[in-house]
Amino acid sequence: MKRQSALIAFLCSAALGLPFAASAQTTPTMSSEQYGTAKDEIDARYKADKQRCDALKDNAEDVCEEEAKARQKVAEAELKHQRSGKAEDARDLAEVRAETAYEVAKEKCDAQTGNAKDMCMADAKAAEAKAKADAAAKR
């Protein structure tokens, strides 16, 4: 029952686009079949998100696609952590979140020009550095 609850919570959060906060103390709670089902759900969500991006143009399409990739990478890292329950996977998840947030921010900065773009990129890089430092502090 506990396994099913965890899987349901994960799938619901993925379906809604919300982060799934798994505890760093988690023990393995997922069978291979459940893991495969959750992985298939993540892949299906990514494909659906990419299709929605096709209706957009220019930078909006690029940002949409980067956000779709970010959601997929974070969901996969969350799933890996949930399955293993290892502290190492929790740290990896924090790093994936930092890296994907930076990639999305960079893509959003591309819509700007001149000093505004430079400031945007600097802010994005600073946010990534802070998030990575926080993740490293957990090591």
Side-chain angles (χ1 to χ4, degrees):
M1 185 67 163
K2 185 177 181 180
R3 289 180 228 202
Q4 289 176 331
S5 297
L7 179 60
I8 290 169
F10 171 76
L11 292 175
C12 288
S13 65
L16 296 173
L18 301 172
F20 178 74
S23 165
Q25 303 294 325
T26 306
T27 57
T29 60
M30 192 177 285
S31 70
S32 293
E33 183 179 311
Q34 290 170 321
Y35 178 83
T37 299
K39 180 78 170 91
D40 290 346
E41 183 70 29
I42 291 168
D43 293 342
R45 165 105 197 254
Y46 172 70
K47 288 177 185 175
D49 286 349
K50 276 238 345 129
Q51 283 183 333
R52 281 191 283 277
C53 296
D54 291 341
L56 302 173
K57 299 278 185 217
D58 302 321
N59 187 254
E61 181 179 14
D62 295 341
V63 169
C64 180
E65 288 176 356
E66 198 61 50
E67 288 172 337
K69 283 188 233 175
R71 275 191 297 274
Q72 180 187 32
K73 287 179 182 179
V74 169
E76 287 173 347
E78 287 172 340
L79 181 61
K80 181 179 178 185
H81 174 248
Q82 184 182 3
R83 184 174 191 200
S84 74
K86 295 179 182 176
E88 178 182 338
D89 289 336
R91 290 186 295 270
D92 290 346
L93 171 58
E95 288 183 14
V96 166
R97 284 184 173 142
E99 291 166 0
T100 58
Y102 175 64
E103 292 301 320
V104 170
K106 277 192 337 185
E107 201 60 58
K108 288 179 179 180
C109 292
D110 279 349
Q112 300 179 27
T113 59
N115 191 46
K117 182 175 182 175
D118 294 341
M119 295 293 291
C120 181
M121 293 295 284
D123 289 345
K125 190 65 179 169
E128 180 196 30
K130 182 185 180 324
K132 282 191 169 188
D134 291 346
K138 292 180 183 180
R139 290 187 189 261

